Amino acid sequence: MPSAWIVNGGAALACLLLLGYGYFLEHAEGLAPCPLCILQRIAFASLLVVLVAAAIHRPRSRGGARAYGIVTGLVAAIGAGIAGWHIHLQNLPPGEAPECGPGLEYMLDAFPLGQTIEMIFTGSGECAEVSWSFLSLSIPAWSLVWFVLLGAVCLANNFRTPPGFRPRLFD
C-alpha cells in the first residue's frame, strides 16, 4: 500500500489535472463556465490546497492525518453537493429550467454575497444547458464522480493506521 503522502500527492495531481482540463475547455474549446461550474472549480482548487498541504506536512500522528482526512472529505462533499445540484438543474424539463441570468462577475459586483450565492443556487439557463459530454456524462456529472472518488480515497488514506505506528499504552 503506498504511503499516505504519495496518495495525497496523487490526489492533488488529479485535482490539478481536472482544473487544467476545465481551463482547456474554457480557453481552447470556447466553453464558458456557468456560475455553478465556477463553484465546482473553487471546490477542486480548495481540495488541491488541502491535499498539497497534507502531502507536504506528512503528519506523523493519527490525529493530524485524520484532520486532513476530515477536511478533504468535507471539501469533497461540498463539491459533490454543488455538482449534484448542477446535475439536478440539467435534468429539469425544458419548461421548468430557470431563465438565463447575469454572469457571476456582475452578480458579485452588483449584489451582496448572500444574495449572489442564493442567485447562483437558484440556477440560470446556462447552468441547465448541457454543452459537453463524455460517455454520456456531462461536466457536472464527471465532477460528481471525481469528488466522490477523491473524497473516499482521501478519507480512507488519512484514516488508516500509519506504517510503523505503535500506540503508547503506558508512558
Side-chain angles (χ1 to χ4, degrees):
M1 192 165 201
S3 66
W5 76 271
I6 290 175
V7 175
N8 287 329
L13 179 62
C15 287
L16 187 64
L17 292 172
L18 289 165
L19 285 167
Y21 190 67
Y23 285 109
F24 167 78
L25 287 175
E26 179 181 357
H27 297 290
E29 299 294 321
L31 289 175
C34 71
L36 287 174
C37 289
I38 292 170
L39 289 180
Q40 290 168 68
R41 283 186 187 179
I42 291 169
F44 275 122
S46 300
L47 194 57
L48 172 66
V49 168
V50 174
L51 288 166
V52 166
I56 291 172
H57 180 220
R58 295 185 193 185
R60 304 275 182 233
S61 70
R62 277 186 179 178
R66 287 181 176 174
Y68 282 116
I70 289 168
V71 173
T72 56
L74 182 62
V75 171
I78 290 169
I82 295 167
W85 181 252
H86 198 169
I87 293 166
H88 165 72
L89 289 176
Q90 287 184 336
N91 288 307
L92 288 174
E96 293 182 30
E99 303 270 334
C100 284
L104 180 62
E105 194 172 320
Y106 174 79
M107 287 190 288
L108 287 170
D109 288 339
F111 301 106
L113 183 60
Q115 190 176 359
T116 299
I117 292 171
E118 182 181 328
M119 290 169 63
I120 289 170
F121 282 104
T122 301
S124 69
E126 62 186 330
C127 291
E129 181 181 313
V130 178
S131 55
W132 181 95
S133 67
F134 177 68
L135 298 176
S136 300
L137 295 177
S138 64
I139 292 172
W142 279 110
S143 292
L144 178 63
V145 167
W146 279 102
F147 280 124
V148 169
L149 179 67
L150 290 169
V153 166
C154 293
L155 274 170
N157 175 54
N158 289 299
F159 270 78
R160 68 183 172 157
T161 303
F165 177 78
R166 297 184 199 285
R168 298 181 198 181
L169 299 176
F170 303 104
D171 275 344

